[in-house]
Amino acid sequence: MSKAPPTTDPTKMGIGRAIAVLTSGGDAQGMNAAVRATVRVGIYTGAKVYFVHEGYQGLVDGGENIRLATWESVSMMLQLGGTVIGSARCKDFRNREGRLKAALNLVKLGITNLCVIGGDGSLTGANQFRTEWSGLLADLVKAGKITENDAKKSSHLNIVGMVGSIDNDFCGTDMTIGTDSALHRIMEVVDAITTTAQSHQRTFILEVMGRHCGYLALVTALACGADWVFIPEMPPDEAWEDHLCRRLANQRARGSRLNVIIVAEGAMSREGKAITSDQIKKLVTDRLGFDTRTTILGHVQRGGTPSAFDRVLGSRMGVEAVMALLEATPDTPACVVSLSGNQAIRLPLMECVQVTKDVTAAMAEGRFEDAIKLRGKSFENNWNTYKLLGHINPPETKSNINVAIMNIGAPCAGMNAAVRAAVRMGIIQGHNMLAVHDGFDGLAQGQIEPITWNGVSGWTGKGGSVLGTKRTLPGKILEEISLNIAKYNIHALVIIGGFEAYVGGLELVQAREKYEEMCIPMVVIPATVSNNVPGSDFSIGADTALNTITTTCDRIKQSAAGTKRRVFIVETMGGYCGYLATMAGLAAGADAAYIFEERFNIKDLQVNVDHLVEKMKTTVKRGLILRNENSNANYTTDFIFNLYSEEGKGVFDCRKNVLGHMQQGGTPTPFDRNFGTKMGAKSVIWLTDKLKECYRHGRIFANTTDSACVLGMRKRALTFQPLTELKGDTDFEHRIPKTQWWLKIRPIMKILAKYDIKLDTSESADMEHVIKTKTLFAK
């Protein structure tokens, strides 16, 4: 992070500047969130912001295609798929003559900052435009179309890119705008197909988009537990036909009623020949005689409402893009705003484009391992997890290790995916896997039974907790628990759950002094809608809850837009943790989100009411207020509803909604399925290593602090942190971590809702570099 000068006032950074925003290439859900954020933050900084309609074609044609944007003109855009300002493939812009016209249109309006949302082709075009800019201006002066003075005023063009592509095919970012929403569409289809396939014992071949990138296919395969996946980056080995048929036959022999094969549209063999859905169907039908069906998803994947993740991603990238444009100097290279872990970062555009091209080159040259690595850490981790869970048969030799798995606390979507991955990874390692029903109660009462490979079949798509879960902590039943750990000869423990799982794990560690049976390796996997477990930026289940809240808020806003002058107050779950209220506020375009971590008083409530009164004078005559359930003991949802109703008399009326337990239910989102799968698999690999370390004189003895950890996502990596070391970062009274990364995002929500607050620019992102280059992987 670089420190900007302390005198920088973000509300004056853009005065006298003009920014144009365009969407280019294929559309992607979430582009509208990025456009909305770019416009509103641009206006917030004092800049003029222009829409460029129809992508580069609009830039070339000019006129009505380049229009001044207003605050209200981006209202009600968040929940719309596609791109409201239009996108088009443009041949004209590829010629210098077309770029001359585009330059003239920008100079006329004094626009020297361009924000491009599109794929690598669109961004490469933007960079070429920027590189040629001074030459284009010189030509325009020579032709008498602009004056020397005009050229001087517009002497430099700043470019910032945001990648909108459902394929996630751009190197340098973990996720591109639209990818998560496309996965939502795909998983809806997979879930629907699964039920019909099981009814008839069918094999389903599902073809997803991804001509040059297998990300959608790979994550879909992980998220639905597919039997096989074909991706362009890693073609199958020779004689794959035999291997595939053997695998499908084995699955049927084990009692599975369906087979799922996922194919990326760009799938190919090692010789570079296309592998098609029809070819696979013929193979399975001819060799195995299985009833086989093919589904090609096509443009369904591009459509529909953007997921909460894509809205938050688009909004955060839009804010960062405006800051990058306004902080750029003539020496700053064109940059692209990327996501790394949970951080928005800036990378040099052409470095990313080069690495993206390097992937294609590696694939063409048959360097497939390099292609996987060049795609980035996230892609590589997904591939390794898939390989471990998908293509290894359980070993003949057993390890004689018993690993128990349990769910603790409230149920949440994605828990079952974590259990499934942990069970299968344990079986692959040769361990005996034990299922503990009903949490610590079940462990104390001996509700423990072996769980098999097939026993967890189809669990990735199931919501809730199949094992059963309770909130009971182990403190008062330690004696019974220790007896059962000894009786069932449990050597390691996987605890999947929320804050109770964390506290329960701590109590077991503290009990090691008294009970030797507790001296076994343990791992806690955070799984709770509240996202309040110390040691992890994300918990399994929070993404599903966030999407549920966001979808509900969309419907509520729609009803408010119909009736006009209406404010909705919505109460969300989360205990004392304001994560859901904050993120849903950003994803749904709320006017305020009240949370415990950011104290508020009656004056703040009055400011919000006044803000809504002013808002009702504009064309946007509706309001949305979110309140976290435990944000304040006295300013309850009823109190806030009554206050708003009284103060808004004659201006707006109020309605309230308490969302309740619907936030815990439903089928898990692709993110939660994938996250749960990776966490479950990684936890058991770690336990296996710890068991080897702790094996002494024929028995397991683990009493070091690092033998009982929380597995969490920290910024950019999955890390294991000792439970006892996390105590210092825990507010036990309110059941939240003391430091929470997402609090830094809250000002963005307020700025996008038009509050007059100061955005902290003291920590603006430095330009980072894509370390991976072709030379690093050259053989």
Side-chain angles (χ1 to χ4, degrees):
M1 290 285 185
S2 69
K3 294 282 177 189
T7 51
T8 305
D9 179 353
T11 59
K12 296 186 170 60
M13 281 173 76
I15 290 174
R17 314 272 292 274
I19 299 169
V21 57
L22 65 89
T23 52
S24 172
D27 63 308
Q29 310 96 316
M31 279 182 164
N32 290 324
V35 169
R36 172 181 176 268
T38 305
V39 168
R40 289 195 169 175
V41 176
I43 292 170
Y44 162 82
T45 64
K48 279 184 176 179
V49 188
Y50 290 86
F51 289 134
V52 179
H53 291 266
E54 312 308 331
Y56 284 122
Q57 194 63 56
L59 206 58
V60 173
D61 295 345
E64 274 298 291
N65 289 302
I66 305 176
R67 279 178 246 164
L68 197 62
T70 64
W71 195 274
E72 286 86 11
S73 64
V74 291
S75 184
M76 286 301 271
M77 271 173 68
L78 267 175
Q79 69 273 36
L80 301 176
T83 163
V84 169
I85 57 175
S87 181
R89 311 274 181 199
C90 176
K91 282 183 183 171
D92 293 343
F93 194 74
R94 290 180 188 169
N95 307 321
R96 188 177 170 85
E97 197 181 324
R99 294 193 289 276
L100 260 176
K101 287 180 185 171
L104 177 61
N105 290 327
L106 291 182
V107 172
K108 276 189 204 159
L109 293 166
I111 299 167
T112 55
N113 298 281
L114 190 59
C115 182
V116 179
I117 308 163
D120 61 341
S122 305
L123 300 184
T124 306
N127 189 65
Q128 187 182 359
F129 190 39
R130 176 183 179 274
T131 311
E132 291 178 354
W133 185 253
S134 54
L136 294 171
L137 294 192
D139 287 1
L140 290 170
V141 171
K142 204 181 282 181
K145 293 189 175 172
I146 61 169
T147 65
E148 288 278 5
N149 197 34
D150 291 335
K152 204 171 177 183
K153 279 186 195 165
S154 302
S155 63
H156 181 71
L157 179 70
N158 293 321
I159 297 274
V160 169
M162 288 182 261
V163 193
S165 161
I166 67 162
D167 292 342
N168 204 26
D169 56 357
F170 192 82
C171 294
T173 185
D174 287 351
M175 288 289 262
T176 56
I177 295 168
T179 304
D180 188 65
S181 302
L183 286 168
H184 275 252
R185 296 299 90 76
I186 295 167
M187 289 317 303
E188 284 162 17
V189 173
V190 171
D191 287 347
I193 280 174
T194 302
T195 52
T196 173
Q198 280 182 323
S199 305
H200 296 276
Q201 291 200 44
R202 279 187 178 142
T203 296
F204 257 94
I205 300 161
L206 193 75
E207 185 181 300
V208 300
M209 280 185 169
R211 204 169 307 138
H212 306 294
C213 178
Y215 186 88
L216 290 179
L218 180 54
V219 174
T220 301
L222 269 180
C224 73
D227 296 292
W228 199 283
V229 67
F230 291 92
I231 60 170
E233 289 86 350
M234 186 56 78
D237 294 330
E238 284 176 28
W240 61 268
E241 294 91 345
D242 300 336
H243 188 177
L244 172 62
C245 290
R246 193 164 54 247
R247 180 158 180 72
L248 297 182
N250 286 345
Q251 287 295 91
R252 286 290 170 96
R254 284 194 189 127
S256 174
R257 289 184 62 84
L258 87 152
N259 303 113
V260 178
I261 299 165
I262 309 291
V263 188
E265 62 180 330
M268 58 180 184
S269 69
R270 294 204 164 239
E271 293 75 46
K273 289 179 184 167
I275 295 176
T276 66
S277 307
D278 289 339
Q279 189 184 333
I280 301 163
K281 180 183 176 181
K282 188 174 186 317
L283 172 75
V284 175
T285 312
D286 291 353
R287 287 224 199 155
L288 299 172
F290 288 174
D291 186 1
T292 307
R293 297 283 191 278
T294 303
T295 302
I296 297 171
L297 284 190
H299 280 72
V300 166
Q301 296 158 87
R302 282 197 193 280
T305 302
S307 65
F309 182 94
D310 273 328
R311 299 183 199 196
V312 172
L313 178 64
S315 300
R316 289 181 70 188
M317 283 186 167
V319 174
E320 192 62 44
V322 171
M323 290 301 151
L325 281 172
L326 298 181
E327 288 168 14
T329 66
D331 303 323
T332 312
C335 83
V336 61
V337 179
S338 298
L339 180 77
S340 183
N342 64 18
Q343 295 178 296
I345 61 169
R346 300 177 195 173
L347 295 169
L349 171 59
M350 292 321 288
E351 280 187 25
C352 296
V353 169
Q354 186 54 53
V355 180
T356 305
K357 286 178 179 170
D358 290 348
V359 178
T360 313
M363 285 171 4
E365 292 163 20
R367 294 183 289 112
F368 300 114
E369 294 290 344
D370 291 357
I372 296 271
K373 281 194 167 70
L374 285 161
R375 277 273 180 240
K377 207 77 193 139
S378 169
F379 193 98
E380 195 180 352
N381 287 342
N382 285 329
W383 175 250
N384 290 336
T385 307
Y386 164 73
K387 272 198 308 185
L388 281 169
L389 290 172
H391 278 224
I392 298 175
N393 287 319
E396 296 298 317
T397 51
K398 291 277 192 245
S399 66
N400 293 322
I401 293 288
N402 299 318
V403 180
I405 300 182
M406 59 206 297
N407 293 162
I408 309 295
C412 68
M415 270 184 166
N416 298 320
V419 172
R420 172 189 173 272
V423 166
R424 291 199 167 175
M425 187 54 75
I427 291 169
I428 286 165
Q429 306 280 336
H431 309 326
N432 303 306
M433 303 304 290
L434 301 173
V436 180
H437 297 278
D438 298 337
F440 287 118
D441 279 349
L443 191 56
Q445 292 158 16
Q447 291 172 258
I448 302 163
E449 61 179 8
I451 188 161
T452 61
W453 186 278
N454 266 7
V456 290
S457 189
W459 278 28
T460 46
K462 288 183 179 174
S465 163
V466 178
L467 292 182
T469 178
K470 285 191 175 174
R471 290 180 182 272
T472 313
L473 290 170
K476 293 176 181 169
I477 45 176
L478 288 168
E479 184 77 38
E480 295 89 336
I481 286 173
S482 66
L483 288 171
N484 276 329
I485 288 176
K487 180 181 173 184
Y488 289 90
N489 202 13
I490 294 169
H491 301 110
L493 198 54
V494 180
I495 305 167
I496 302 167
F499 201 82
E500 290 91 353
Y502 164 69
V503 175
L506 270 175
E507 289 182 3
L508 293 185
V509 171
Q510 282 154 2
R512 282 174 169 178
E513 291 171 19
K514 189 176 175 187
Y515 301 98
E516 206 175 281
E517 293 83 358
M518 306 293 184
C519 294
I520 56 172
M522 306 172 204
V523 64
V524 173
I525 298 176
T528 165
V529 301
S530 303
N531 197 32
N532 62 336
V533 178
S536 190
D537 294 342
F538 295 105
S539 296
I540 296 164
D543 187 67
T544 305
L546 183 56
N547 276 282
T548 303
I549 299 166
T550 305
T551 307
T552 308
C553 288
D554 284 350
R555 291 172 184 171
I556 284 170
K557 275 175 77 176
Q558 201 173 40
S559 111
T563 45
K564 302 276 193 290
R565 299 183 185 279
R566 179 162 284 176
V567 174
F568 274 91
I569 291 141
V570 178
E571 182 187 296
T572 67
M573 271 185 167
Y576 284 95
C577 180
Y579 176 82
L580 286 179
T582 297
M583 289 309 204
L586 188 54
D591 294 280
Y594 300 122
I595 62 168
F596 169 77
E597 292 92 341
E598 197 174 276
R599 301 297 165 92
F600 57 97
N601 56 32
I602 197 73
K603 285 179 185 162
D604 298 315
L605 293 173
Q606 186 60 53
V607 166
N608 295 148
V609 171
D610 293 345
H611 177 265
L612 285 166
V613 168
E614 286 304 306
K615 189 179 180 182
M616 295 301 160
K617 293 174 185 173
T618 70
T619 54
V620 187
K621 300 184 190 303
R622 62 171 190 283
L624 177 67
I625 304 290
L626 299 184
R627 179 188 173 275
N628 165 247
E629 57 185 349
N630 289 344
S631 55
N632 189 297
N634 295 315
Y635 299 139
T636 60
T637 303
D638 285 340
F639 176 92
I640 291 172
F641 168 71
N642 291 333
L643 174 77
Y644 273 67
S645 299
E646 181 61 34
E647 296 295 317
K649 266 186 186 164
V651 182
F652 58 78
D653 65 343
C654 286
R655 296 286 185 276
K656 71 173 179 212
N657 285 65
V658 178
L659 298 185
H661 280 73
M662 65 182 279
Q663 295 159 83
Q664 279 180 1
T667 55
T669 58
F671 179 90
D672 279 332
R673 296 182 200 207
N674 191 15
F675 192 43
T677 299
K678 281 198 274 201
M679 298 279 267
K682 200 171 177 75
S683 66
V684 173
I685 292 170
W686 179 83
L687 282 175
T688 304
D689 291 338
K690 273 281 168 264
L691 286 162
K692 287 172 191 163
E693 280 177 34
C694 304
Y695 190 72
R696 302 270 188 288
H697 312 298
R699 69 192 190 102
I700 305 293
F701 185 75
N703 67 345
T704 54
T705 53
D706 68 349
S707 62
C709 287
V710 169
L711 168 57
M713 166 74 94
R714 279 291 202 197
K715 288 187 177 172
R716 303 183 186 185
L718 290 176
T719 54
F720 291 89
Q721 296 143 98
L723 281 158
T724 49
E725 285 180 16
L726 290 167
K727 281 165 76 174
D729 187 38
T730 308
D731 174 350
F732 284 97
E733 184 192 346
H734 299 107
R735 299 158 52 90
I736 51 173
K738 288 178 184 172
T739 50
Q740 303 193 81
W741 67 272
W742 50 266
L743 284 168
K744 286 185 176 174
I745 295 178
R746 280 184 65 79
I748 296 175
M749 184 189 75
K750 293 177 185 175
I751 287 166
L752 294 178
K754 211 175 183 178
Y755 281 92
D756 184 17
I757 67 152
K758 292 285 182 279
L759 182 65
D760 180 13
T761 55
S762 64
E763 277 202 342
S764 62
D766 258 344
M767 186 89 81
E768 297 190 16
H769 288 277
V770 187
I771 300 157
K772 290 177 181 151
T773 58
K774 200 163 147 188
T775 51
L776 194 65
F777 297 111
K779 294 257 172 105

